[in-house]
Amino acid sequence: MTIHTFWPMLKKEFYEQYRTYRTLIATIILLLLGLSAPIITKLTPELLKSLGGGITVILPPQTSTDALNAYLKNMTQLPALILILLAMGCIADERTHGTAVTVLTKPVPRTVFVLAKFVSYALLFLTATMLAAAGDYFYTYQFFSALPPGPFVLLNLALLIFYLLTLALTLLASVLFRNAVAAGGVAFAGFLVLSILPGLNSTIAHALPSVLFSPQRVTQLLAGTASLGDIVQPLLTGFGLTLALVMIACFVFQRQEL
Amino acid sequence: MLMESSSSWKGIERDVAMHINLSTGAILSLVLPLAALELILIIVALIDLIRREPGRVNGSKVVWALIIVLIGTIGPICYFILGRKE
């Protein structure tokens, strides 16, 4: 892979994301979800009280931990679906419309073509996640108390790896299928499997990054009682799976007829 | 969660104003950033829809305009992903 071909390809991907409003969609959605978590946590007891209709709802006082759990719940559902929707056609559409042929007839290696797409979406979601995290941290501090920065950064790193895994899955599906909707469907099915598997097997549950988002593990992280292995293993597994899926995508794409 | 994220911020603002003893300024400081973000999304989607030729839109422009305006955050996203012929 030559860096001389990678940068122009990455630049092209960023320009395409900007022109197709993908940058705007990802940034605004993640920001909305990040900001809304502490706000909704703050307002939930009052809203329940007001909507109770004579029924008394007793809730313990909401804390920054509740706001963090709401943030993680927000950030692991809709953003992953948005990521699948945005990236499902990234290779499938280029093959269908014939633009992939135009680009690849120039001296651009196929691996560079796939990697530029992966890196551009990864950087987009990295930026959006950082903005959402900053907004969430600020609002949580304003409404409750400051979250410990270390565990908060670690959980956001886990979120990013979770997005990278979803992206790698979508990229592979987009390489395998010429139809963007089919690619999206397969990526979504894969995402569902990754979400359901931890519930079926405890060994798998402890190995995937999503284990870090469970309220019990969040409490442990905030209290500093989680072991290093509990933290590192899911992050490494998520990163390793991502790497493997991207390599498979590159391998398959190199052997495909366009 | 989908409901939570797609619910109308205007509705939340109204509920908050009616039932919670917060000053108008405090309510605005809570909801304004969210409303502003949603508004940006709606305005950008509408501008793109208006500028776009009917042949480059999947379906009717009027229907998409209604979807963008009426279905909170999800409407503009649906338009950007499904409504445009790129």
Side-chain angles (χ1 to χ4, degrees):
Chain A
M1 182 179 84
T2 56
I3 202 82
H4 301 292
T5 48
F6 182 72
W7 284 117
M9 283 301 293
L10 191 62
K11 210 170 147 187
K12 170 205 163 270
E13 291 304 324
F14 283 136
Y15 186 64
E16 191 181 322
Q17 283 178 358
Y18 169 74
R19 288 296 302 265
T20 54
Y21 299 102
R22 282 169 164 81
T23 313
L24 181 87
I25 295 169
T27 310
I28 288 192
I29 292 300
L30 265 72
L31 251 179
L32 268 174
L33 293 170
L35 292 177
S36 66
I39 295 174
I40 288 171
T41 308
K42 179 76 178 171
L43 298 178
T44 301
E46 304 295 335
L47 286 171
L48 283 178
K49 208 187 293 173
S50 66
L51 301 172
I55 302 164
T56 310
V57 181
I58 300 169
L59 277 179
Q62 300 292 83
T63 62
S64 56
T65 309
D66 296 314
L68 181 58
N69 282 322
Y71 168 74
L72 292 171
K73 205 173 168 191
N74 272 1
M75 297 291 280
T76 46
Q77 293 176 11
L78 192 60
L81 297 182
I82 296 285
L83 177 56
I84 291 172
L85 285 171
L86 294 181
M88 66 188 187
C90 67
I91 291 176
D93 277 346
E94 292 225 24
R95 286 172 65 205
T96 312
H97 298 155
T99 43
V101 178
T102 316
V103 174
L104 292 169
T105 46
K106 305 202 183 325
V108 175
R110 291 191 181 198
T111 311
V112 169
F113 184 80
V114 176
L115 284 181
K117 296 211 175 272
F118 179 78
V119 172
S120 65
Y121 278 99
L123 288 177
L124 171 63
F125 269 72
L126 169 70
T127 314
T129 307
M130 280 167 67
L131 286 172
D136 175 73
Y137 193 85
F138 176 74
Y139 267 61
T140 305
Y141 173 66
Q142 292 293 321
F143 294 147
F144 305 100
S145 59
L147 288 161
F152 185 71
V153 170
L154 187 84
L155 284 166
N156 278 289
L157 180 69
L159 263 181
L160 191 67
I161 291 179
F162 175 75
Y163 294 149
L164 290 183
L165 184 55
T166 311
L167 173 62
L169 203 63
T170 313
L171 195 76
L172 178 61
S174 195
V175 167
L176 291 173
F177 295 88
R178 273 182 172 271
N179 185 310
V181 179
V186 169
F188 183 65
F191 172 74
L192 279 183
V193 169
L194 279 177
S195 310
I196 293 166
L197 270 180
L200 302 176
N201 186 309
S202 63
T203 314
I204 296 172
H206 284 87
L208 290 173
S210 52
V211 71
L212 293 174
F213 310 136
S214 69
Q216 296 87 340
R217 190 53 57 87
V218 169
T219 311
Q220 284 178 346
L221 280 171
L222 292 177
T225 54
S227 71
L228 190 68
D230 287 343
I231 300 166
V232 174
Q233 193 195 350
L235 295 181
L236 285 180
T237 313
F239 191 73
L241 273 175
T242 305
L243 207 65
L245 288 172
V246 173
M247 282 169 70
I248 294 170
C250 290
F251 181 80
V252 174
F253 191 61
Q254 271 186 331
R255 278 150 188 79
Q256 265 179 341
E257 254 185 58
L258 292 177
Chain B
M1 194 47 56
L2 281 169
M3 286 296 290
E4 190 176 285
S5 54
S6 64
S7 62
S8 163
W9 299 113
K10 288 172 197 154
I12 290 177
E13 186 179 359
R14 191 186 58 239
D15 289 343
V16 171
M18 280 171 66
H19 300 292
I20 299 175
N21 294 324
L22 287 175
S23 68
T24 312
I27 296 164
L28 277 177
S29 69
L30 283 175
V31 180
L32 208 62
L34 302 176
L37 285 172
E38 190 173 319
L39 203 64
I40 291 170
L41 208 57
I42 291 172
I43 289 171
V44 174
L46 280 177
I47 289 173
D48 184 83
L49 179 69
I50 291 163
R51 283 184 179 172
R52 197 163 279 267
E53 292 163 21
R56 291 176 60 217
V57 176
N58 285 322
S60 157
K61 284 179 87 169
V62 179
V63 173
W64 276 116
L66 289 172
I67 290 171
I68 290 167
V69 174
L70 298 178
I71 311 178
T73 316
I74 301 295
I77 295 172
C78 285
Y79 167 69
F80 284 130
I81 294 172
L82 305 170
R84 296 154 19 101
K85 283 182 188 168
E86 286 173 18

